[in-house]
Amino acid sequence: IGTALKFCGKLEKVDICLYNTKLADDGGQALASGLDRPELQDLDLRIRDTGVGDKTGVALGQSLSKCSKMSKLHLEMSDTKMSDASGIALGEALRAHHKLTKATIMFYSTKLTDQGGHALAAGLNCPELQDLDLRLHKTEVADETAIALGESLSSCRKLEKLVLIADDTKLGDPGMNCIVNVLATLPKLATIRLDLLRTNVSRQFIDAVKLKLQRPGLSIDY
């Protein structure tokens, strides 16, 4: 598939789903390398529950950095061997996506820590972004990742919907405070879902968040 993609110079939309397969880094790296299509605008890549690791993640980041016309991105890399190197590579790639309006990034049940999480979150500084779904549960990310996400979201003035799934992480009050302070300033944000089960976020902080972000579309699972 990776080899074939290299012959598709004008490719604008790609959907690839390889759930629960025997795909490993050899094939994953080749597949990811074939996605360096400069005309690509809409990518849906789902390689959850496979044996791929950072070689695939880094190759994917290198390819996506060449896709500056990307407006819609859906990446599912959960339940893989990916770690911080993949998060860093993808974060760097996202910096080139100035036209991105919708992003779904699922990186849960990986070896991601604050090093890669911070880089990934920092890459989401996308001024045209309207819809963000970020799922990092069952990883080692903590407040540095959340602070970077808050700083990125401060540039997303067109954001209308945010889903942040961070159950079973090390996220605490300081990181969430940075995110919430920014969310309260976004003029078009109508729908917010925050899943924070089994984190270091306190009950008192959650109660304060509910008051600060009062709106019909607010959902907090704590």
Side-chain angles (χ1 to χ4, degrees):
I1 296 173
T3 301
L5 286 170
K6 289 185 176 295
F7 291 95
C8 304
K10 297 182 179 180
L11 201 62
E12 296 182 357
K13 179 176 170 56
V14 176
D15 294 335
I16 299 175
C17 181
L18 295 170
Y19 284 158
N20 193 25
T21 64
K22 295 181 180 180
L23 184 70
D25 258 344
D26 284 347
Q29 186 176 12
L31 175 63
S33 296
L35 290 168
D36 60 343
R37 305 296 85 199
E39 299 299 318
L40 192 59
Q41 300 174 31
D42 185 341
L43 172 62
D44 188 332
L45 177 63
R46 310 188 187 206
I47 48 177
R48 176 168 55 87
D49 197 14
T50 63
V52 300
D54 284 332
K55 288 183 179 179
T56 299
V58 170
L60 180 60
Q62 292 171 345
S63 289
L64 293 183
S65 67
K66 300 175 184 178
C67 304
S68 59
K69 295 183 179 181
M70 189 80 70
S71 62
K72 295 181 181 179
L73 180 65
H74 186 120
L75 297 178
E76 289 192 31
M77 301 160 290
S78 305
D79 294 294
T80 65
K81 298 177 181 179
M82 290 188 184
S83 63
D84 290 332
S86 297
I88 292 169
L90 291 169
E92 291 176 352
L94 287 168
R95 293 178 185 274
H97 295 175
H98 304 297
K99 297 181 179 180
L100 196 65
T101 60
K102 182 174 183 179
T104 298
I105 300 176
M106 300 190 180
F107 217 113
Y108 60 86
S109 297
T110 63
K111 298 178 180 180
L112 191 70
T113 71
D114 255 349
Q115 183 181 6
H118 180 281
L120 178 63
L124 289 167
N125 183 354
C126 304
E128 299 300 317
L129 195 60
Q130 300 173 26
D131 186 335
L132 174 62
D133 187 333
L134 181 61
R135 308 194 178 210
L136 303 175
H137 49 293
K138 295 184 179 179
T139 66
E140 295 295 312
V141 300
D143 287 332
E144 287 188 17
T145 298
I147 291 170
L149 179 61
E151 291 173 350
S152 289
L153 293 179
S154 67
S155 298
C156 303
R157 307 299 293 174
K158 297 181 180 181
L159 194 68
E160 299 175 359
K161 179 180 179 181
L162 172 69
V163 174
L164 175 62
I165 312 297
D167 301 325
D168 298 292
T169 64
K170 296 180 179 179
L171 184 63
D173 291 353
M176 277 307 302
N177 187 56
C178 182
I179 292 175
V180 170
N181 284 340
V182 171
L183 297 184
T185 69
L186 298 181
K188 296 185 178 182
L189 187 60
T191 302
I192 305 171
R193 175 185 170 187
L194 304 174
D195 284 15
L196 302 168
L197 293 168
R198 296 174 296 278
T199 64
N200 295 324
V201 179
S202 67
R203 167 58 68 181
Q204 293 82 357
F205 184 80
I206 293 297
D207 292 340
V209 170
K210 291 178 180 178
L211 291 174
K212 192 165 189 175
L213 297 180
Q214 289 187 42
R215 64 199 70 199
L218 176 63
S219 171
I220 302 179
D221 194 3
Y222 172 77

